[in-house]
Structures are given as C-alpha cells and as structure tokens.
Amino acid sequence: SKNNYMSAFNLQKNSEIIELRKSIINDELSSSVIDELTTKYRLNKPATKDELLTVIDILPPSLVLAQAANESNWGRSRFAEDFNNYFGIWCFSKGCGTVPKQRDANANHEVANFNSLKACIDYYVLTINRNYAYQNLRLIRKTHRDELKPISGIALAEGLTNYAYPGDEYISSIQSVIRYNQLERYDQLN
C-alpha cells in the first residue's frame, strides 16, 4: 500500500538523519561540511552543535503519514497522483509547479511538482526542519529529546500551527488522523 511505501521512505530518511546526527555528535564532519549544513538549514554561522542537532532530526512516521493523508486524500489527489506532491507543498515562481484550479485571481502560488515520492519527502522534511514557521515543532522535539521522551507524532503536531489555516483546527485534524488510524505504531520502528 501507499502507506507502507511512504513509511519505508520516511524510515530511510530518518536513518540518514540519525547517521548524520551521530557524525555531528562525534565531531566526524569537516568544517566545510558543517558550513554546508549550516547554510542548508539556514542557521547563522558559526552554528553550534546544539543548533545543528535541533534542526537535523527525525520526523516520526505517524506525523508524516497523517500529513500526507490529510493533504493528499490518502494519496488520491491529482497533485499526489500526477506530481508526487503528497503534502500540499506550494512554490512561488511562475512555472515552478502546477496552477491549482481553484486558485484566487490575485494569488501567485503553484503546487510544487516532484520527480518522485522520495524527492517530495526529502523536501517536506527539510521544510519542517528549517523553516521559521515550524520553530515550535523543533522546540517540542528538542524538549522530548532532552527529557528522553519518545518523539511522537501527536506531540509534534502541536508545532504545525502555521502549516494550514486555521492552525488549531489543522492540529486537531492531524492528531485525529494519527489516533484513528493508530499511526503511532509506525513510530516504534525509529
């Protein structure tokens, strides 16, 4: 099923992130690689280890699956089927994606096109991990790490206020999708 497929990509992404975190923790990266990561994640130079580890971290599969389900109608939307966009990701330069049919006359966003599901997940994870809008999510995740609590989709969903409007309703709907479909069973694999 698409769910297992997406979960597999997410777990692969998470294991890449966990490896990268280990390299940061153990000071195994060259200063040029650290510089590249600092730029990629939009941190101020020089970034501390703590700052890097706050942005370079996993997203629980339950959260990823719930957002994909919510944004793409369980993978059935035209944007998921035709353009591998499972997360309703927008882009803002002309021709960067596909113009949605219901777009307001004064709007200039398009729905981003991706070459593969993997490319879409990579972009989505990077967006959550570096955009100012999701700073709260990253702080919740860091607090859970610091307190040695599991990183759960229900907890991280609280940091998605800015993903869609109205934020509090969006958070509730993501948490409901996680609970109703028992998606946190996928998180145990992390």
Side-chain angles (χ1 to χ4, degrees):
S1 78
K2 271 191 179 140
N3 234 7
N4 289 339
Y5 192 56
M6 180 157 298
S7 180
F9 274 117
N10 179 211
L11 291 170
Q12 181 193 336
K13 183 75 192 164
N14 281 346
S15 60
E16 284 169 26
I17 290 172
I18 288 164
E19 285 309 304
L20 184 52
R21 286 176 62 82
K22 280 182 192 155
S23 302
I24 294 167
I25 291 165
N26 299 324
D27 298 314
E28 292 164 358
L29 302 176
S30 68
S31 56
S32 64
V33 170
I34 294 284
D35 265 3
E36 280 169 30
L37 289 170
T38 302
T39 303
K40 181 179 179 178
Y41 286 90
R42 300 179 181 159
L43 297 168
N44 294 325
K45 288 181 181 167
T48 65
K49 218 185 244 197
D50 205 41
E51 287 169 328
L52 284 165
L53 292 170
T54 300
V55 293
I56 300 172
D57 206 343
I58 64 165
L59 290 179
S62 61
L63 184 74
V64 177
L65 291 168
Q67 281 206 272
N70 195 27
E71 297 294 332
S72 71
N73 185 21
W74 295 98
R76 288 190 288 266
S77 75
R78 162 170 96 98
F79 298 115
E81 301 231 320
D82 298 346
F83 308 108
N84 291 303
N85 188 335
Y86 287 81
F87 299 97
I89 296 165
W90 289 3
C91 56
F92 294 93
S93 54
K94 197 169 173 56
C96 63
T98 305
V99 176
K101 289 179 177 148
Q102 308 299 319
R103 187 174 79 171
D104 288 348
N106 60 352
N108 65 347
H109 70 276
E110 298 182 13
V111 177
N113 298 347
F114 295 96
N115 295 329
S116 64
L117 173 58
K118 184 184 184 321
C120 178
I121 289 180
D122 282 349
Y123 185 83
Y124 157 80
V125 171
L126 185 62
T127 300
I128 297 289
N129 278 340
R130 74 176 181 186
N131 278 28
Y132 179 73
Y134 310 114
Q135 204 174 6
N136 265 358
L137 181 147
R138 296 190 294 272
L139 291 174
I140 294 166
R141 182 174 62 191
K142 182 181 178 347
T143 303
H144 277 65
R145 274 246 183 254
D146 293 347
E147 295 173 2
L148 304 178
K149 289 183 190 158
I151 295 176
S152 79
I154 298 274
L156 263 56
E158 294 288 341
L160 290 174
T161 314
N162 295 320
Y163 203 92
Y165 182 83
D168 47 354
E169 283 177 30
Y170 184 74
I171 290 169
S172 300
S173 68
I174 293 295
Q175 290 173 331
S176 300
V177 170
I178 292 173
R179 287 193 184 102
Y180 183 77
N181 297 285
Q182 299 171 328
L183 295 179
E184 290 200 321
R185 67 180 186 269
Y186 291 104
D187 295 352
Q188 312 320 314
L189 304 166
N190 273 312

